[in-house]
């Protein structure tokens, strides 16, 4: 059961990200599909600002103001928990502004999509 509440329950949830590992086995590849729930719940898109891009996200952070913030947090958390995994983002029908954010973040962090 996911014990995270509110906005952290989805995209940047440490609970979900930690579940990508099975015991001591960590993933080699992570296919990341996200953003649908945010679109349906009316979360604002926001924007990605490389000058403010974090290298790490506090594990205790539970709330994000925008999709962009949550998407960055999810990518950074996955990179921190699984530094040897290849992350591939699946960009789907989330709207043009969210697609742009996803591509900008992926390009900045050198993530395949």
């Amino acid at each position: 059961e996911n014990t995270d509440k509110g906005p952290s329950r989805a995209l940047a949830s440490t609970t979900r990200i930690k579940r990508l590992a099975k015991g001591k086995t960590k993933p080699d590849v992570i296919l990341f599909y996200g953003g649908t729930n945010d679109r349906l719940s009316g979360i604002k898109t926001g924007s990605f600002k490389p000058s403010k891009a974090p290298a790490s996200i506090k594990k205790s952070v539970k709330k994000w103001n925008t999709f962009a913030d949550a998407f960055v947090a999810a990518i950074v958390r996955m990179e921190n928990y699984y530094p040897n995994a290849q992350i591939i983002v699946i960009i789907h029908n989330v709207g043009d502004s969210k697609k742009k954010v996803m591509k900008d973040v992926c390009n900045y962090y050198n993530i395949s999509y």
Side-chain angles (χ1 to χ4, degrees), residues 21-26:
K22 291 282 189 181
K24 293 183 181 181
T25 304
K26 295 185 178 186

Side-chain angles (χ1 to χ4, degrees), residues 6-103:
S8 69
R9 187 172 179 121
L11 201 59
S13 166
T14 53
T15 301
R16 284 186 175 185
I17 291 169
K18 288 193 291 188
R19 281 190 189 148
L20 296 173
K22 291 282 189 181
K24 293 183 181 181
T25 304
K26 295 185 178 186
D28 296 323
V29 176
I30 299 170
L31 298 176
F32 182 46
Y33 178 94
T36 303
N37 294 338
D38 298 313
R39 183 181 65 141
L40 297 174
S41 62
I43 303 272
K44 292 182 182 182
T45 301
S47 61
F48 175 65
K49 295 176 179 67
S51 63
K52 295 183 179 183
S56 66
I57 301 289
K58 291 180 183 177
K59 293 176 185 173
S60 62
V61 174
K62 296 283 187 189
K63 184 174 181 181
W64 310 105
N65 294 322
T66 66
F67 168 80
D69 292 340
F71 188 75
V72 167
I75 293 294
V76 171
R77 283 179 171 171
M78 283 187 280
E79 284 190 324
N80 283 311
Y81 277 106
Y82 310 110
N84 297 320
Q86 177 188 9
I87 301 168
I88 301 170
V89 172
I90 300 169
I91 297 179
H92 51 96
N93 188 21
V94 291
D96 291 341
S97 59
K98 284 189 176 89
K99 283 182 187 179
K100 181 182 180 338
V101 165
M102 293 169 89
K103 289 177 181 179

